[in-house]
């Protein structure tokens, strides 16, 4: 399962206007890049798709980015925990 902008908009109770979906799509892409670079730079997208925790991590980080685009408060603790578990599961960077 991949994180979709429409699904994220629904879970955040955001009206799925074209502009909001464009923002969410961009934030999801940013979150995916951050998580992948934190977990493993050699894993394929197919391998990430097999990790249910990956989607949860991307969703949590995209949500955090929606409300705090600069992550002034740092990466959320839940995201850090999920990244640590993903690193342990796949063998790290």
């Amino acid at each position: 399962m991949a994180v979709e902008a429409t699904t994220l908009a629904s879970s955040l109770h955001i009206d799925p206007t074209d502009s909001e979906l464009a923002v969410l799509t961009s934030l999801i892409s940013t979150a995916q890049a951050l998580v992948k670079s934190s977990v493993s730079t050699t894993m394929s997208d197919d391998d990430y798709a097999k990790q249910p925790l990956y989607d949860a991590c991307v969703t949590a980080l995209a949500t955090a980015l929606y409300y705090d685009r600069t992550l002034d408060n740092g990466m959320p603790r839940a995201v850090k925990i999920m990244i640590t578990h993903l690193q342990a599961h796949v063998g790290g960077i």
Side-chain angles (χ1 to χ4, degrees):
M1 178 179 112
V3 179
E4 299 288 335
T6 52
T7 304
L8 186 57
S10 177
S11 70
L12 298 176
H13 303 284
I14 297 169
D15 291 332
T17 63
D18 288 343
S19 62
E20 287 291 347
L21 291 176
V23 167
L24 289 173
T25 298
S26 175
L27 295 175
I28 290 167
S29 293
T30 300
Q32 288 170 330
L34 284 167
V35 172
K36 287 178 181 180
S37 67
S38 297
V39 175
S40 174
T41 57
T42 60
M43 258 176 72
S44 70
D45 289 342
D46 289 338
D47 289 335
Y48 276 107
K50 296 174 187 172
Q51 303 295 324
L53 196 52
Y54 171 72
D55 282 346
C57 190
V58 169
T59 298
L61 186 52
T63 298
L65 287 165
Y66 183 81
Y67 292 110
D68 179 13
R69 305 283 163 87
T70 61
L71 290 179
D72 280 342
N73 296 317
M75 197 173 286
R77 179 174 280 172
V79 172
K80 290 179 185 178
I81 291 168
M82 287 186 267
I83 286 173
T84 299
H85 282 274
L86 282 166
Q87 287 171 332
H89 185 74
V90 301
I93 294 176

